[in-house]
Amino acid sequence: MKSSSSSVIISHQSTSAEIVALPHQRDSDGAILLDPNRVMAFTDNPRKKFRRIPELAESIRICGQRQPGKIILITGDPAWDAELIDGERRLRACRLAGVKFRAYSESGVVNKNDQFERSFIANFGKEDHDGIEIAHSIKRLMDSNNRSLTEIATMAGKSITWAIQHLNLLNLAPEVQKML
């Protein structure tokens, strides 16, 4: 069952916060239903490799998108309605399948570093990441967000040893890193 309701969103285009009410179609769980071609992928997504998109698209086409993505609603941009925080594989699969993308809007995202941190938390509790993706993400959280290795390990639900071992991969020669 689908219903329509309004969401309050903050414009990213103005210098002062501009609160705008826009109608968004929602499903029975309250997830926003969006045209996947109007959802901008997060350019700083810690995940860089997206595997098995055609298989996921076929599953979504047959069974529907079970797990909603996470987005930031945006205004003032004629090309985009939202920017992704989590769910790029699902977004790509919805584009391929030609179906709406289900997502929940995150509030309180104040800048790109905060968005990256939320994306890190959403992504690195999952499987299927390579060590270099993880290492670069840990380094960015340390450099840009002033996070300690202990905080990063806790955010990912991992041990401090996990964080240190991944960070140490960045000490390898660039040619070796590309092989991983």
Side-chain angles (χ1 to χ4, degrees):
M1 178 170 289
K2 297 176 183 173
S3 64
S4 183
S5 65
S6 293
S7 294
V8 176
I9 58 181
I10 297 176
S11 172
H12 291 259
Q13 302 297 319
S14 64
T15 53
S16 62
E18 176 186 335
I19 299 177
V20 180
L22 289 179
H24 289 284
Q25 188 178 24
R26 294 185 180 265
D27 67 11
S28 59
D29 294 328
I32 301 168
L33 301 173
L34 297 159
D35 175 346
N37 295 311
R38 295 193 49 82
V39 178
M40 178 181 2
F42 179 38
T43 56
D44 288 336
N45 188 342
R47 182 185 290 272
K48 303 297 180 203
K49 297 176 183 171
F50 300 93
R51 299 165 182 92
R52 299 182 303 278
I53 301 298
E55 294 89 342
L56 181 58
E58 185 61 19
S59 174
I60 288 173
R61 189 178 359 264
I62 293 168
C63 303
Q65 180 191 342
R66 300 290 186 213
Q67 182 67 37
K70 294 179 184 174
I71 56 160
I72 302 166
L73 292 169
I74 57 176
T75 63
D77 189 323
W80 307 108
D81 294 327
E83 184 173 13
L84 201 59
I85 293 176
D86 177 42
E88 190 165 347
R89 280 189 74 243
R90 286 165 275 163
L91 176 63
R92 289 176 182 218
C94 286
R95 285 177 180 158
L96 187 60
V99 300
K100 296 279 188 181
F101 178 66
R102 293 179 66 236
Y104 290 114
S105 177
E106 289 270 318
S107 60
V109 178
V110 294
N111 58 42
K112 292 294 182 188
N113 289 335
D114 185 42
Q115 187 176 356
F116 180 84
E117 190 170 296
R118 289 174 189 233
S119 186
F120 175 86
I121 292 166
N123 272 288
F124 289 108
K126 300 173 185 172
E127 298 297 322
D128 208 21
H129 288 280
D130 67 46
I132 293 298
E133 279 181 338
I134 296 168
H136 282 292
S137 296
I138 290 170
K139 178 140 179 50
R140 173 160 175 197
L141 286 171
M142 291 174 69
D143 293 346
S144 300
N145 294 36
N146 297 314
R147 293 293 190 171
S148 71
L149 283 172
T150 302
E151 289 174 313
I152 294 167
T154 300
M155 285 191 296
K158 306 289 185 180
S159 69
I160 186 78
T161 303
W162 173 88
I164 292 168
Q165 287 174 340
H166 281 91
L167 190 59
N168 282 335
L169 293 174
L170 298 180
N171 294 329
L172 297 170
E175 306 81 44
V176 176
Q177 289 183 29
K178 288 180 184 176
M179 291 182 209
L180 295 179

